[in-house]
Amino acid sequence: MYSFSGENEMFSISNGVIVLNEGEEIFYGGNLDGELSDIIAYSMTFYIQSGSDGIVLLSNSVTDMTGGTIGIAGETGKISGDVLKREEEDDLQNNLYFELKTTNLDGEENTYQLQLTVTEVTKTKDS
């Protein structure tokens, strides 16, 4: 099991958890905190940087269709199933990233990337 977090001047990710047990794999992205104003759409992606490629673990997006704005803060999502291949687990500790793409009321798009700090909490039984 691993935990992860990270922060920059714009936002932070906290309480992320990755469970990789035989028969149970869960990726929980944790909580996103931050205040970006006038956001009408965003997408967030957790991925492992492997060479020149990124291996997406979890991605989702939100778009306001009412003419208002939306906040980015809150839970980032969770998946279960085949989360990682064993060889990707080796890249996890130094190569887990979070990307946030936003669109504001003026149509301006911004992309923020954050390298996450991954801590191994417990070893899996088969490692």
Side-chain angles (χ1 to χ4, degrees):
M1 182 162 84
Y2 298 90
S3 67
F4 62 87
S5 62
E7 64 181 291
N8 63 20
E9 62 281 347
M10 304 298 286
F11 57 86
S12 66
I13 294 286
S14 60
N15 301 322
V17 176
I18 303 168
V19 177
L20 299 173
N21 292 330
E22 184 97 18
E24 179 185 43
E25 293 189 11
I26 298 170
F27 182 94
Y28 170 63
N31 297 307
L32 174 63
D33 284 315
E35 293 301 321
L36 297 175
S37 59
D38 298 332
I39 302 300
I40 60 167
Y42 67 85
S43 67
M44 55 180 72
T45 304
F46 290 92
Y47 65 95
I48 296 173
Q49 190 64 46
S50 180
S52 62
D53 297 329
I55 301 163
V56 174
L57 301 176
L58 175 66
S59 184
N60 60 54
S61 61
V62 175
T63 301
D64 178 80
M65 304 301 264
T66 67
T69 61
I70 49 180
I72 63 164
E75 290 191 13
T76 59
K78 173 181 162 180
I79 59 168
S80 60
D82 285 336
V83 176
L84 287 177
K85 295 180 177 78
R86 287 295 167 211
E87 60 271 15
E88 294 167 356
E89 188 176 348
D90 295 337
D91 291 332
L92 187 62
Q93 292 207 5
N94 297 315
N95 297 300
L96 182 62
Y97 287 84
F98 174 76
E99 180 178 86
L100 177 66
K101 292 183 180 181
T102 62
T103 304
N104 67 19
L105 280 169
D106 297 327
E108 180 183 339
E109 295 180 359
N110 289 293
T111 300
Y112 308 95
Q113 290 184 314
L114 178 61
Q115 184 171 8
L116 300 168
T117 302
V118 179
T119 304
E120 187 169 8
V121 179
T122 58
K123 275 227 174 269
T124 57
K125 292 178 184 173
D126 56 351
S127 0

